[in-house]
Amino acid sequence: MSEADQPFMFPPEASRPDSDALYLELGAWEGPLDLLLDLARRQKVDLRQISILALVDQYLTYIERAGAMKLELAADYLVMAAWLAYLKSAMLLPKEEQEDPSPEELALRLQLRLQRLGAMREAAGRLMGRDRIGRDVFLRGSPEGLRTDRKTVWRSDLFSLIQAYGQVKARTAPRIYHVANRPVMTLDSALERVAAMLGVTLEWMEIRDFLPPHASPELKRSALASSFVAALELAKRGRAELEQEAAFAPLRIRRLKDGTGQGLGA
Amino acid sequence: MSEAEPDPLERAIEATLFAAEAPMTVDALAAHLGDAAPGDVRAALATLTARYGPRGVHLVERGGRWHFETAPDLAHLLRREKEQVRRLSRAATEVLAIIAYHEPVSRAEIESIRGVQTSAGTLDVLMEAGWVKPAGRREVPGRPVIYATTPEFLDHFGLASRRDLSGIDELRAAGLLDPVDEAMEAAMRFDPDEPDEAESDDEDPS
Amino acid sequence: MSEAEPDPLERAIEATLFAAEAPMTVDALAAHLGDAAPGDVRAALATLTARYGPRGVHLVERGGRWHFETAPDLAHLLRREKEQVRRLSRAATEVLAIIAYHEPVSRAEIESIRGVQTSAGTLDVLMEAGWVKPAGRREVPGRPVIYATTPEFLDHFGLASRRDLSGIDELRAAGLLDPVDEAMEAAMRFDPDEPDEAESDDEDPS
């Protein structure tokens, strides 16, 4: 349980018999409170019954002797010494001359602080004396280790599947239908058609006569536009000529006699 | 619980093998335990082996070295699988539907049907779910991988076969199962003299 | 050897805790074992603890988490090669004790008990060891960080809970865990004229 080398375990008085040993430990204390606690321990009484006056005397003696030995003392030890000297003189005064807070209160406060520090120091010693992992008890040297593999189980259903497919189709289908529902005559087919029909005669023909006779109104509009462009194209190539008597009058077209029109119908 | 007073050597061996970082030979154990005779160690190991026999942890010898290990029938405890049920995302459902209706299909074909890019993770999810698998490569430039559904797919969706995918016949009759490009082309090829005649059905996409 | 047919849950817990790399809570155990009820796990742990009591390896609870460790009385067998424990300075030891007994506690409170400043490294050492962690801020001017111990602290020092800290109840009852100001007030109210004869001596905190 106890470890002799733990500095806070306060071994029996025998191991620190004289005050000369005390001076050798200068620097072993963590501040004046620590030194005071050590001195209080040497009174071998419960910290609650400690004689503060005796403690003050011991502290002042210690500081004096350290000074005589020309040991370097940290400032806070000297501050504590001054404060304790004041406390001592105040405690020796008659009660009615005491100020507030009374020296008794100051002494009590010091005593309470020493009790608290003492309690924690002992607690620390007991804590370190417990069965510690890696010193007193040991864990398994080479545990196999646990592993949890997370696995996702996916879930869906037939309705979602078909619905998703329907949505894909609905999203992409319109492009197909719009084209199919809008009949058009392409420029290429109009060119072919107009050129072929021009090959039949040298007479003027109205452009309306080139349109497919049984076509739907939509197709007729498309055919008219395409045939018009086709007529312009043939005129540009020098294979046909166009005439129109007035604005919005019927547009007429005729094969050019000396053109290469013969080949057009072939 | 157990017997009144365990043998000190047994306890020492238990603790030593438990804390050891590697299996130990009888000699190493005897040396470690100070003045133990190898014969005594051997006897104690035999007792301990029998003692741990029915337990969740066994004392075993492997190649002359002794150690504790988990009972073989409990090995599954060391690597547990935790299942987490998740609903398939909409994008993944769409891709799955396209594969189911059109299989085998390449990723490019899936994308052309969906009209959007398919993230790499989506196909992974479907393969992780076990519903889709690679089914070879299409013999076209680039040799893209093509995908098809699995028997687990039919299982999960309660289908006897892909023909049971409801609506597939109706969808096909409506021309909805043809690749978009083909349908477009067919529409463009439209003959101005006979606008009402639908394009011929030269390929069965299923 | 032992009883005829060990309980399957006991075996599973044995195997799991033997294999685990870190202590496990009852809930973690129950979850790992799939469908085990925490109550059953608790009962099995109690049986196992008793069962391993006399053996060289013990089953222990530390801060609500369970693990196997070697029996403390066998430390001498294992210590010689395996001393791996961190040696703490006296200051770090004291600070750790103060945090454990007072938690949560601010640095200023620690310093007022010790009567000296705490060097920056001291708390760092304790936090690096994983025994102490910041636990929020005290809602007073300056909002100082307050510190508390961790489950690893309980684990390392073999404490089932902070209630196991030796003497903590007595110290609390004696007011030794209260700040000096509070104790002063109480003492002054008690008998302002005779401060040396403070509360009767019913307990020695050491």
Side-chain angles (χ1 to χ4, degrees):
Chain A
M1 167 86 191
S2 77
E3 293 237 317
D5 57 347
Q6 299 286 349
F8 39 76
M9 283 305 285
F10 295 104
E13 203 69 6
S15 66
R16 296 183 183 179
D18 57 349
S19 49
D20 282 337
L22 204 58
Y23 298 109
L24 298 177
E25 293 179 24
L26 186 75
W29 287 286
E30 280 197 79
L33 200 64
D34 191 16
L35 171 55
L36 273 168
L37 180 62
D38 205 358
L39 292 169
R41 293 278 178 186
R42 284 158 209 266
Q43 291 190 16
K44 281 192 268 184
V45 290
D46 190 295
L47 281 178
R48 276 166 289 197
Q49 269 103 50
I50 197 83
S51 159
I52 292 292
L53 267 179
L55 186 61
V56 168
D57 280 338
Q58 285 169 24
Y59 185 91
L60 294 176
T61 309
Y62 172 76
I63 295 297
E64 252 170 51
R65 290 189 55 185
M69 292 170 73
K70 303 215 189 303
L71 293 173
E72 199 73 32
L73 273 177
D76 49 348
Y77 286 87
L78 299 175
V79 170
M80 176 64 90
W83 187 79
L84 289 175
Y86 160 78
L87 178 64
K88 180 182 172 184
S89 61
M91 286 173 85
L92 295 174
L93 282 178
K95 278 209 171 188
E96 47 279 10
E97 292 179 30
Q98 287 174 6
E99 296 176 12
D100 196 50
S102 70
E104 281 77 15
E105 276 177 55
L106 295 175
L108 174 61
R109 182 176 281 274
L110 177 61
Q111 192 179 6
L112 291 173
R113 289 190 71 188
L114 288 174
Q115 279 180 34
R116 275 157 184 71
L117 180 59
M120 282 305 104
R121 189 150 294 172
E122 282 162 19
R126 287 194 300 262
L127 188 62
M128 293 301 133
R130 292 190 62 89
D131 291 331
R132 291 171 63 184
I133 288 178
R135 188 186 72 180
D136 307 291
V137 298
F138 295 86
L139 303 179
R140 183 135 184 238
S142 53
E144 291 95 335
L146 298 175
R147 240 181 81 186
T148 304
D149 298 335
R150 295 209 174 273
K151 192 184 164 204
T152 305
V153 177
W154 294 97
R155 187 172 57 85
S156 187
D157 55 66
L158 195 56
F159 177 74
S160 310
L161 191 75
I162 290 164
Q163 189 184 47
Y165 193 66
Q167 280 164 356
V168 170
K169 283 302 170 186
R171 206 164 61 215
T172 50
R175 278 194 268 167
I176 302 166
Y177 276 124
H178 285 167
V179 175
N181 279 341
R182 204 191 306 135
V184 293
M185 178 181 286
T186 63
L187 181 55
D188 281 345
S189 59
L191 257 178
E192 212 174 287
R193 189 181 170 89
V194 172
M197 291 177 78
L198 275 181
V200 175
T201 174
L202 275 170
E203 295 304 305
W204 287 101
M205 291 177 73
E206 255 196 67
I207 199 141
R208 287 189 194 284
D209 299 334
F210 291 82
L211 302 184
H214 306 296
S216 64
E218 287 127 323
L219 181 58
K220 270 195 175 138
R221 281 165 63 94
S222 170
L224 179 59
S226 299
S227 301
F228 172 63
V229 177
L232 291 176
E233 178 65 26
L234 288 170
K236 186 177 145 205
R237 289 186 197 170
R239 295 179 190 173
E241 56 184 346
L242 300 171
E243 89 171 14
Q244 188 176 30
E245 287 175 342
F248 301 109
L251 181 66
R252 297 195 296 172
I253 183 167
R254 180 175 70 173
R255 176 160 61 110
L256 275 183
K257 270 178 237 167
D258 50 342
T260 44
Q262 273 96 339
L264 284 178
Chain B
M1 294 297 113
S2 57
E3 60 267 48
E5 195 58 51
D7 176 51
L9 184 56
E10 278 180 38
R11 291 184 77 238
I13 291 173
E14 267 178 332
T16 304
L17 286 181
F18 174 83
E21 271 153 20
M24 292 175 83
T25 61
V26 170
D27 289 343
L29 266 172
H32 184 86
L33 299 176
D35 50 3
D40 293 345
V41 171
R42 238 179 283 275
L45 282 168
T47 313
L48 283 170
T49 304
R51 180 187 169 78
Y52 279 95
R55 308 298 313 174
V57 171
H58 289 176
L59 180 59
V60 292
E61 183 197 354
R62 296 265 184 272
R65 292 166 186 276
W66 291 80
H67 71 132
F68 281 109
E69 64 177 33
T70 308
D73 65 307
L74 297 175
H76 64 277
L77 290 175
L78 303 186
R79 275 192 72 176
R80 267 224 106 90
E81 279 202 342
K82 209 168 241 172
E83 295 195 338
Q84 181 187 11
V85 177
R86 282 178 64 186
R87 223 189 141 69
L88 208 56
S89 73
R90 194 194 144 135
T93 310
E94 278 185 20
V95 172
L96 178 62
I98 289 166
I99 295 173
Y101 277 91
H102 296 258
E103 77 176 41
V105 285
S106 70
R107 184 162 159 172
E109 289 158 357
I110 294 169
E111 289 181 350
S112 110
I113 292 168
R114 282 190 75 212
V116 287
Q117 284 220 326
T118 300
S119 80
T122 307
L123 273 167
D124 290 345
V125 162
L126 295 175
M127 289 194 274
E128 184 196 308
W131 294 338
V132 163
K133 62 171 194 293
R137 292 177 178 274
R138 170 107 55 235
E139 291 304 336
V140 298
R143 303 189 67 243
V145 174
I146 49 180
Y147 299 91
T149 55
T150 63
E152 288 77 31
F153 162 77
L154 295 176
D155 230 32
H156 185 91
F157 289 89
L159 297 163
S161 79
R162 282 183 50 255
R163 300 226 161 263
D164 287 356
L165 272 174
S166 75
I168 194 162
D169 292 336
E170 299 90 314
L171 289 168
R172 185 185 291 116
L176 288 178
L177 298 190
D178 297 311
V180 172
D181 290 345
E182 215 171 279
M184 279 295 281
E185 225 173 83
M188 298 311 283
R189 247 192 280 119
F190 156 82
D191 182 336
D193 282 323
E194 289 158 81
D196 287 334
E197 201 199 308
E199 68 275 21
S200 72
D201 195 6
D202 55 356
E203 207 191 11
D204 185 352
S206 67
Chain C
M1 294 300 113
S2 55
E3 60 266 48
E5 194 59 51
D7 175 55
L9 184 58
E10 277 180 38
R11 292 184 76 237
I13 290 172
E14 261 179 328
T16 303
L17 286 181
F18 248 75
E21 276 153 349
M24 292 176 84
T25 63
V26 169
D27 287 344
L29 267 170
H32 187 82
L33 298 177
D35 49 4
D40 293 345
V41 171
R42 241 179 283 274
L45 283 166
T47 312
L48 284 169
T49 303
R51 180 186 172 78
Y52 278 93
R55 309 297 314 173
V57 171
H58 290 174
L59 177 60
V60 293
E61 182 194 0
R62 302 286 179 245
R65 305 184 306 165
W66 293 78
H67 71 239
F68 279 107
E69 64 181 30
T70 56
D73 66 303
L74 299 174
H76 61 283
L77 283 178
L78 306 160
R79 195 178 285 169
R80 57 186 105 127
E81 291 145 43
K82 307 200 65 172
E83 182 86 18
Q84 59 201 22
V85 75
R86 145 191 327 259
R87 288 203 83 80
L88 288 182
S89 69
R90 178 177 138 180
T93 309
E94 260 178 43
V95 170
L96 179 60
I98 290 168
I99 295 174
Y101 280 76
H102 290 80
E103 77 177 42
V105 66
S106 72
R107 187 161 163 162
E109 288 156 0
I110 295 170
E111 291 179 349
S112 100
I113 293 170
R114 297 191 63 229
V116 284
Q117 288 220 327
T118 302
S119 79
T122 306
L123 273 166
D124 291 346
V125 163
L126 296 175
M127 287 197 274
E128 193 198 309
W131 295 336
V132 162
K133 63 170 194 293
R137 293 175 177 276
R138 172 113 45 237
E139 290 305 334
V140 296
R143 302 186 69 241
V145 174
I146 47 181
Y147 299 90
T149 55
T150 62
E152 288 76 23
F153 163 77
L154 296 175
D155 212 33
H156 181 88
F157 288 95
L159 296 157
S161 76
R162 278 183 59 245
R163 289 197 61 89
D164 276 7
L165 283 167
S166 84
I168 192 169
D169 290 337
E170 291 85 346
L171 289 174
R172 189 174 289 125
L176 284 173
L177 299 182
D178 299 329
V180 168
D181 286 342
E182 241 168 70
M184 273 300 281
E185 235 170 73
M188 300 309 283
R189 236 187 292 113
F190 180 72
D191 195 352
D193 285 325
E194 288 161 66
D196 283 337
E197 221 177 288
E199 67 270 41
S200 71
D201 186 11
D202 52 354
E203 205 84 53
D204 185 348
S206 65

